[in-house]
Amino acid sequence: MLLWVILASLTAIVLFVLLRPLAGSGGSEPGRDAFNATVYRDQLDEIEADRARGLIGEAEAEAARLEVARRLLAADEKARDKSGEVKSGAPARIALVGVALALPLAVLSLYLLYGSPRLPDQPLTARLTDPAQEKNVGALVARVEARLRAHPEEGEGWDAIAPVYMAGRRYADAADAYGQAIRLLGPSAERLSGYGQALVLEKGGLVSEEARRALEQALARDATLVEPRILLAIAKEQDGDYEAAIEDWRGLMNREGADERWRAMVQTRIADAEAHLSGAPPPAADATPPVVSGPSAADVAAAETMSPGERQAMVEGMVQRLAARLDAQGDDLAGWLRLVRAYTVLGRDDEAREALARAKGQFAGNTQAIEQLDALAAELGLKS
Amino acid sequence: MIAETGHYALILALAVAIVQMVLPVIGTRLRDPQLTAVAVPAAQAEFILIGIAFIALTTAYVTSDFSVLNVWQNSHSAKPLLYKISGVWGNHEGSMVLWVLILALFGAAVATFGTNLPRQLQANVLAVQGSIAVAFLLFIIMTSNPFARLDPAPFDGQGLNPVLQDPALAFHPPFLYAGYVGFSMAFSFAVAALIDGRIDAAWARWVRPWTLAAWMCLTIGIAMGSWWAYYELGWGGFWFWDPVENASFMPWLAGTALLHSALVMEKRDALKVWTILLAIITFSLSLMGTFLVRSGVLTSVHAFAVDPERGVFILGIMAVFIGGAFALFAWRAPLLSQGGLFAPISREGSLVLNNLLLTVACAAVLVGTLYPLALEAVTGEKISVGAPFFNLTFVPLIVPLLIAVPFGPLLAWKRGDLYAAAQRLMVAAIVSLGVMIVALAINQKGPWLAPLGIGLGVWLLMGAATEIATRVKLFDASSTESWRRARNLPRAAYGSALAHAGVGLMVIGLVATTAWRTERIEALAPGGTVDIAGYQLKFEGVAPRQGPNYQERVAVFEVTRDGNPVTELRPSKRAFAVEKSATTEAGIHNSWRGDLYVVLGDELKDGGYSIRVYFNPMVRLIWIGALVMFFGGGVSLSDRRLRVGAPKRAKPKSKTATVAAEGR
């Protein structure tokens, strides 16, 4: 309500100021040539002052005076011809009524179109101390973050906020928070497992050496954890060790309380890995894409013996081959998904975006494929 | 409520600007003083309304109100207060609000202080200002609304680009915009004169100081930008001939020309049509600068297509204003009366030469800026036009201008004596020649053009001194007489001499740094040393440090010279967690000889760091020169006198005129 009072009074004041000249009687004004004449007279005075101060000589002053005087004379003559020509009345009244009616209407409709009059201000300090925000996760996160900025040595804070980051898909922040919690409070199975998961998700599904160490340590502390097992099996797949991976997957399936949520996924992966072992193409390439589809076993075996630089070159080469293949035959959705992900992992975001855009072009009209591409883009944080 | 009031005020300002654009013009056409009189309160109200919007937006930034989309996108609660405020114009939407705010400020100034202007002229000027405001307010509200809201509001923002979190860049945009927009005054006066088909005597009296103020702001704005690039980008460069820089440099060149031609117009009532054309060109270049920077054309021609709404809108604004103004010029300029006559060798003549060279140099920059864009748009080929192109085109144009600068102020109005001026400059010429020879002797192994450049700088400095010396008749008259004259000399004379001397300082700095900079790139482990330009730097090591919203790794260097301690330099690398990017802070030690400049590079495998060390001789003179130019402009601006250029040795032309003049 207060907002509307402010807006109405603002409008009223502006209208009053704006329209006052139109409501008056309309005084006369001196013609333009009278103004010109004033300027010329001022200039004559100035020349005189300059001469008096010795800045210009007599002769120069005289010449300047002559020029200005000639202009002054002309202006004076014109000013006498037509001074104070005044018309007034009808146009001013039409403008008065027109503006007074149209302006508030136009402004109000534009404001209602673009504005959000119901939304109050929400300055941060007020929000953080507002008890009504107690249940809001965002507010809690902001509060903890503010506290951690001031006291970065409080491990409990990092421990509390890390899972929240995970849920919010802020994987880099989550990895950092778990890392801080481990540093300050010491390792625990949950922290190590969370740290490993965050690292994997941050890298878009790639299980790095550091992540594997953390996950293995987590399992060593608590063998009942499921997530580290899944990720470690994926790591084995990535290394090309499909037999060990299948063994792991089977182990998972046989465990007590094998969860429906991941049972189907594990089955697909077993089939996938078996297909790899037998050398046949994966049976269901068009089904849910695996989190990571890796290079061939031979490639990986070769990678083991390489220096980091060479390994990088090999990865680049594989990505290049994949891109070339997709250039030639573009109807391979799984291939596109892999390419986009690979580019992101390599940090070549621009190319990832380009690949994404091209894949979308390829599968235009195929809503399911587009959905998968979009989901991947969201997961990797790519904006096309 | 504050945010919404700001939003409403912005829309109300648009409505007021429309009134300001329409009613006064009808008023001057119908000779209706009531309609004409609306211009003044409208311009004032517009300024206050946009001011309310700006304050509302700033409040949202300072209080971290993330329910405002723009704040969420460009701020963060952990940012220091200064950068929360500068964040207001550190983004597209907010900077456009600042743009219209400055525009409205200039309009309000004409409305409030323009009581000595003819009513109709003032009304037309304000109407033109109003039309510019309408275009940009529409642009803001429809395509770049800073008051768009978010519901529910996030709890923290995305932060401001860390390279913008810097004191020089915090104040760079306001000055730059004051310059750009300041030229809109000259533009509005020019278009108003064209609408009326006449130029009032008060015209130049108003245009020159406002152009000067805009030019001062642009000068200092550009200098701040290059100063920032020098210490922040980490390789000691200060000017890259980058399109963004050129976008601000072109209005500066045209504005400098305008400043000088407006001077002729004010003092001598000559060069009227040319001045009007130049005013239109200058503001058109300002608009183009805004377009180039704001539309995304520069990052890539394709980026333009990504956000076509904004780009096309600004392109439309440009087309209307530039096209409209030139069409109006073509149609109405023949109506304008020509002013005073002058001989080719005269102060006026020298200023025409100045204008000619400045505008052609500006055209060279324009080609170098737009050609790559056009080529990319047509053929898709990306080329970059850099220093080599501008060294071949811009420099040969600007050097003759700089050589000519000292002659100008020594020539008399109307008809001058080049020989006498040359005689007065003899001392200046001998001194600069001497400096040239000394510079050549000290640096025997080239670059060969560098001593010439230094000589040119000294020539400008000496020329400025000669001008003052001549005016006060130093050594020609008694010292008391000279002192009396020095006190009586108008401040404008000191101002122009200072500004020209500033150019000289800048030339010396530019040439010395470009020609004689030395550079070392070393891999240093802690304890290692590097020698450069007589200094010895000992690398003590690297330590982490926590800043307000970043973490940095600071390297410490002990600097000694001939064994005596000089200073300690601490270059650093800052990592900004929120924005996920890093900046490099150079460690700089400045002395009269030049700047010692150290940059901390990446950590190497063996625990060492790659370290870059530069010695930039006399580099500070570039910015000191810009400051002197700014200061000179200020001195000239503080001179409230009317300027009349007295011609020399003029013979009375006709008897009647003499009689008439004496009759007054």
Side-chain angles (χ1 to χ4, degrees):
Chain A
M1 194 59 221
L2 180 61
L3 176 69
W4 290 113
V5 174
I6 294 175
L7 301 191
S9 16
L10 201 60
T11 318
I13 295 169
V14 165
L15 273 182
F16 174 74
V17 170
L18 212 56
L19 299 179
R20 215 170 41 160
L22 295 179
S25 60
S28 75
E29 66 165 293
R32 313 176 74 141
D33 294 299
F35 273 97
N36 286 348
T38 319
V39 175
Y40 295 137
R41 284 204 186 85
D42 288 351
Q43 286 185 340
L44 282 177
D45 292 345
E46 201 60 49
I47 294 168
E48 186 52 37
D50 274 359
R51 194 194 55 78
R53 286 201 289 179
L55 285 173
I56 49 176
E58 278 304 333
E60 294 154 36
E62 185 55 41
R65 208 159 29 218
L66 206 69
E67 282 196 2
V68 176
R70 215 176 292 143
R71 285 177 211 143
L72 173 61
L73 206 68
D76 258 354
E77 257 166 36
K78 275 197 217 154
R80 257 197 303 278
D81 287 348
K82 42 167 188 182
S83 61
E85 231 181 295
V86 173
K87 266 189 233 163
S88 183
R93 273 195 299 281
I94 296 170
L96 177 74
V97 177
V99 171
L101 289 180
L103 185 137
L105 225 84
V107 172
L108 188 67
S109 42
L110 256 186
Y111 174 68
L112 289 178
L113 185 62
Y114 289 105
S116 322
R118 284 153 195 262
L119 223 54
D121 288 334
Q122 300 180 32
L124 194 62
T125 38
R127 291 170 75 195
L128 292 184
T129 51
D130 180 5
Q133 295 278 3
E134 203 61 67
K135 285 189 191 134
N136 185 321
V137 177
L140 289 175
V141 171
R143 247 183 258 189
V144 177
E145 280 179 338
R147 173 130 192 106
L148 283 174
R149 265 199 295 277
H151 308 277
E153 296 305 304
E154 284 181 1
E156 290 81 8
W158 294 114
D159 207 23
I161 205 166
V164 183
Y165 281 146
M166 285 292 275
R169 293 189 163 196
R170 293 166 63 177
Y171 301 125
D173 290 331
D176 185 47
Y178 275 121
Q180 295 277 13
I182 291 169
R183 182 172 67 83
L184 296 163
L185 302 176
S188 75
E190 281 79 25
R191 281 172 210 141
L192 285 164
S193 163
Y195 182 58
Q197 287 179 54
L199 284 179
V200 171
L201 290 169
E202 186 199 352
K203 284 272 187 314
L206 197 76
V207 184
S208 64
E209 191 50 41
E210 195 184 359
R212 209 181 58 198
R213 259 202 311 277
L215 292 167
E216 277 168 356
Q217 283 176 26
L219 271 187
R221 276 159 202 273
D222 181 355
T224 63
L225 290 174
V226 174
E227 292 89 348
R229 278 186 198 282
I230 296 179
L231 290 176
L232 285 171
I234 290 178
K236 284 178 186 157
E237 275 184 14
Q238 281 173 12
D239 292 350
D241 190 355
Y242 292 103
E243 281 161 22
I246 291 172
E247 200 172 307
D248 277 15
W249 294 125
R250 293 247 159 84
L252 266 168
M253 294 289 285
N254 297 334
R255 281 168 59 92
E256 295 276 323
D259 200 316
E260 283 309 314
R261 278 178 300 163
W262 45 267
R263 189 177 268 279
M265 188 271 283
V266 168
Q267 261 159 0
T268 336
R269 295 209 74 119
I270 291 175
D272 236 26
E274 278 172 344
H276 265 289
L277 276 181
S278 62
D286 54 333
T288 356
V291 179
V292 173
S293 324
S296 74
D299 280 341
V300 177
E304 299 290 327
T305 58
M306 288 174 172
S307 72
E310 284 169 335
R311 202 170 302 160
Q312 176 77 13
M314 188 197 81
V315 173
E316 301 264 6
M318 282 189 325
V319 172
Q320 234 165 43
R321 284 201 297 279
L322 180 58
R325 187 166 66 74
L326 290 170
D327 267 341
Q329 52 184 127
D331 56 348
D332 176 7
L333 177 61
W336 282 110
L337 291 166
R338 203 157 75 210
L339 184 65
V340 171
R341 195 182 285 281
Y343 276 140
T344 320
V345 172
L346 291 172
R348 283 145 70 175
D349 281 359
D350 287 341
E351 282 155 287
R353 268 185 214 109
E354 203 191 294
L356 193 63
R358 282 183 49 205
K360 279 189 177 173
Q362 178 77 38
F363 293 98
N366 180 349
T367 30
Q368 211 186 340
I370 297 287
E371 258 170 44
Q372 277 191 36
L373 286 164
D374 281 336
L376 179 70
E379 187 198 328
L380 299 177
L382 290 174
K383 280 182 212 151
S384 50
Chain B
M1 198 177 65
I2 296 174
E4 291 303 309
T5 308
H7 195 173
Y8 186 85
L10 202 64
I11 294 174
L12 192 54
L14 170 65
V16 171
I18 293 174
V19 171
Q20 181 187 337
M21 171 176 77
V22 176
L23 290 192
V25 174
I26 299 177
T28 53
R29 293 285 99 187
L30 297 180
R31 296 182 163 277
D32 183 324
Q34 282 178 300
L35 287 178
T36 311
V38 172
V40 170
Q44 290 162 335
E46 192 198 315
F47 171 61
I48 290 169
L49 287 171
I50 297 177
I52 291 174
F54 188 78
I55 290 168
L57 188 61
T58 310
T59 311
Y61 266 89
V62 171
T63 60
S64 293
D65 184 345
F66 298 118
S67 69
V68 178
L69 177 66
N70 189 246
V71 178
W72 174 71
Q73 284 173 335
N74 300 293
S75 193
H76 189 273
S77 56
K79 227 167 40 168
L81 181 64
L82 172 67
Y83 302 130
K84 280 184 185 168
I85 296 174
S86 73
V88 176
W89 54 78
N91 64 84
H92 170 74
E93 289 83 357
S95 69
M96 291 318 294
V97 176
L98 179 68
W99 207 97
V100 287
L101 177 69
I102 296 173
L103 183 73
L105 172 69
F106 279 110
V110 179
T112 311
F113 305 114
T115 44
N116 57 350
L117 284 171
R119 287 287 147 265
Q120 287 140 344
L121 175 63
Q122 188 193 28
N124 280 336
V125 168
L126 290 175
V128 178
Q129 287 276 94
S131 68
I132 302 171
V134 169
F136 277 91
L137 283 170
L138 266 179
F139 173 68
I140 291 172
I141 292 168
M142 288 172 59
T143 74
S144 336
N145 199 319
F147 291 106
R149 301 293 293 273
L150 270 179
D151 188 35
F155 273 86
D156 226 326
Q158 301 182 318
L160 177 70
N161 185 350
V163 296
L164 300 181
Q165 296 188 29
D166 180 277
L169 263 217
F171 297 106
H172 162 71
F175 276 107
L176 206 61
Y177 283 6
Y180 276 1
V181 182
F183 289 134
S184 77
M185 290 285 287
F187 175 82
S188 300
F189 270 87
V191 173
L194 289 174
I195 291 174
D196 274 353
R198 59 178 288 166
I199 303 172
D200 293 285
W203 198 94
R205 192 184 189 183
W206 264 82
V207 168
R208 199 197 52 85
W210 287 100
T211 307
L212 182 55
W215 176 89
M216 282 167 63
C217 292
L218 197 56
T219 306
I220 210 74
I222 294 175
M224 267 183 184
S226 96
W227 168 231
W228 167 83
Y230 171 70
Y231 70 73
E232 180 76 27
L233 296 187
W235 57 274
F238 43 84
W239 190 262
F240 304 90
W241 292 110
D242 178 272
V244 180
E245 291 168 327
N246 293 348
S248 63
F249 190 46
M250 288 184 280
W252 188 87
L253 287 171
T256 311
L258 173 63
L259 197 64
H260 288 90
S261 80
L263 191 78
V264 177
M265 188 158 161
E266 182 185 16
K267 286 200 167 194
R268 299 284 307 145
D269 207 27
L271 294 186
K272 287 178 179 178
V273 178
W274 170 244
T275 305
I276 288 203
L277 181 63
L278 212 47
I280 294 174
I281 290 175
T282 304
F283 185 60
S284 300
L285 289 169
S286 298
L287 278 182
M288 198 183 74
T290 310
F291 167 72
L292 286 181
V293 177
R294 286 288 155 223
S295 64
V297 166
L298 285 183
T299 31
S300 152
V301 181
H302 306 111
F304 181 56
V306 173
D307 192 1
E309 202 184 354
R310 282 179 186 170
V312 169
F313 205 122
I314 303 192
L315 201 60
I317 293 177
M318 267 175 74
V320 169
F321 282 96
I322 301 178
F326 278 114
L328 197 64
F329 181 81
W331 175 39
R332 304 287 281 190
L335 290 180
L336 300 174
S337 64
Q338 288 292 344
L341 300 170
F342 53 86
I345 301 287
S346 64
R347 185 85 68 87
E348 292 97 320
S350 73
L351 289 167
V352 169
L353 178 71
N354 149 313
N355 271 230
L356 208 63
L357 289 170
L358 277 174
T359 38
V360 176
C362 183
V365 178
L366 186 72
V367 170
T369 310
L370 293 189
Y371 176 67
L373 291 177
L375 191 71
E376 195 192 338
V378 175
T379 68
E381 189 186 347
K382 258 188 186 273
I383 60 161
S384 80
V385 169
F389 171 84
F390 295 100
N391 284 345
L392 276 177
T393 53
F394 179 76
V395 173
L397 285 165
I398 219 69
V399 166
L401 174 64
L402 295 181
I403 293 173
V405 162
F407 286 97
L410 294 178
L411 292 175
W413 292 103
K414 206 160 180 179
R415 53 183 86 68
D417 187 345
L418 194 59
Y419 181 66
Q423 262 184 332
R424 292 207 187 97
L425 283 167
M426 200 57 92
V427 180
I430 290 168
V431 170
S432 10
L433 215 59
V435 171
M436 232 182 273
I437 291 166
V438 170
L440 204 60
I442 295 175
N443 297 279
Q444 282 170 0
K445 41 181 196 297
W448 300 109
L449 283 176
L452 296 178
I454 299 290
L456 182 61
V458 174
W459 164 248
L460 282 161
L461 281 175
M462 292 303 296
T466 309
E467 183 201 342
I468 297 296
T470 311
R471 288 204 178 209
V472 302
K473 296 203 167 143
L474 195 67
F475 309 125
D476 281 352
S478 68
S479 54
T480 40
E481 166 67 8
S482 285
W483 175 238
R484 192 189 64 77
R485 284 179 152 265
R487 269 178 307 154
N488 278 339
L489 205 59
R491 267 177 280 178
Y494 286 116
S496 79
L498 269 174
H500 290 163
V503 179
L505 288 174
M506 194 181 261
V507 168
I508 295 175
L510 282 171
V511 171
T513 303
T514 317
W516 295 314
R517 91 191 309 221
T518 43
E519 173 179 343
R520 293 257 183 296
I521 300 177
E522 306 257 335
L524 278 191
T529 59
V530 53
D531 291 301
I532 191 166
Y535 292 104
Q536 185 176 55
L537 286 86
K538 182 155 180 270
F539 181 35
E540 303 279 351
V542 173
R545 203 177 76 85
Q546 177 75 38
N549 54 343
Y550 55 83
Q551 288 192 312
E552 65 179 342
R553 294 189 308 151
V554 188
V556 180
F557 288 88
E558 209 57 67
V559 182
T560 52
R561 194 171 176 199
D562 306 331
N564 304 317
V566 177
T567 181
E568 194 182 81
L569 288 178
R570 295 167 173 265
S572 70
K573 270 180 124 59
R574 291 182 180 168
F576 289 75
V578 175
E579 295 87 354
K580 300 209 191 326
S581 59
T583 63
T584 311
E585 305 291 319
I588 304 176
H589 166 70
N590 60 312
S591 70
W592 281 111
R593 288 199 312 139
D595 278 14
L596 186 62
Y597 186 110
V598 187
V599 182
L600 174 65
D602 293 324
E603 188 170 357
L604 304 171
K605 268 184 226 151
D606 56 0
Y609 288 82
S610 78
I611 306 286
R612 281 172 294 150
V613 189
Y614 303 89
F615 184 74
N616 300 317
M618 295 193 267
V619 67
R620 300 262 150 166
L621 287 183
I622 298 174
W623 300 290
I624 292 174
L627 271 177
V628 170
M629 283 157 83
F630 177 80
F631 186 65
V635 169
S636 181
L637 200 60
S638 74
D639 188 350
R640 300 292 303 145
R641 302 170 331 113
L642 259 177
R643 284 94 191 281
V644 193
K648 262 197 175 150
R649 290 181 299 159
K651 286 160 243 151
K653 282 258 168 63
S654 69
K655 277 228 167 89
T656 46
T658 322
V659 172
E662 278 163 0
R664 278 230 54 84

